[in-house]
Amino acid sequence: MVQKSTRRRFVSASLVAIPAIELAAYGLTDAQEPEMVGSAQSPAWTFTVVSFQDPYTGEITRPQEPDPGTRYVSAQVIIANGSTEPLEFEIADVHLVDENGDEYPAGAVLGSEPKLVTQNLPDGERTRGWVWYEVPTGVNVTELRFYGPRPVFKVAVVAGVATPVAG
């Protein structure tokens, strides 16, 4: 059976051929990659939720009374810094998110358990603590988010040293 040439086959063949032509123009093949000056990777940070209570059943120390139409929610979390750089964060970087996408930062409510502490976490260390939230009684909570700091990717370079270039 003879297959007809179609636009779809032409586009598919072109998409495969164009990168191959570009690699050939630089003298590269699948088995050959350019030498690198260096590379940088994302920091190895881990955010773990150990326990979650909705509603929170412990004792709240601040505020004294919940606002009408609200409830308290809490979570015990671990933040681990498996990178070689310090990890600076604040307790307010841990947000509770409801089904509408509304976010509630930690820190306005405190309970009696050991709290998560704002800190500059050294490399290889971890911290564990509780975070609390006051949320409207009618919303469904869907997730906890940790907004870690934006990583800085660094690659050391030396002036006057030839940089490997393909070609």
Side-chain angles (χ1 to χ4, degrees), residues 115-139:
K115 69 178 182 170
L116 185 68
V117 178
T118 295
Q119 62 185 290
N120 193 352
L121 191 62
D123 57 308
E125 296 292 321
R126 70 182 198 143
T127 187
R128 181 179 190 142
W130 287 82
V131 289
W132 297 267
Y133 307 89
E134 185 174 24
V135 299
T137 53
V139 300

Side-chain angles (χ1 to χ4, degrees), residues 47-124:
F47 175 66
T48 305
V49 178
V50 178
S51 62
F52 181 76
Q53 293 183 7
D54 183 7
Y56 173 62
T57 57
E59 178 186 342
I60 292 293
T61 59
R62 183 185 80 198
Q64 296 298 319
E65 295 292 322
D67 289 335
T70 64
R71 70 182 191 277
Y72 295 124
V73 176
S74 70
Q76 184 182 32
V77 300
I78 297 173
I79 297 176
N81 182 4
S83 75
T84 59
E85 299 289 328
L87 165 61
E88 187 173 352
F89 70 91
E90 297 181 11
I91 189 172
D93 295 334
V94 182
H95 289 214
L96 186 71
V97 183
D98 68 22
E99 64 189 347
N100 300 317
D102 294 328
E103 297 190 26
Y104 309 87
V109 177
L110 290 178
S112 56
E113 290 84 7
K115 69 178 182 170
L116 185 68
V117 178
T118 295
Q119 62 185 290
N120 193 352
L121 191 62
D123 57 308

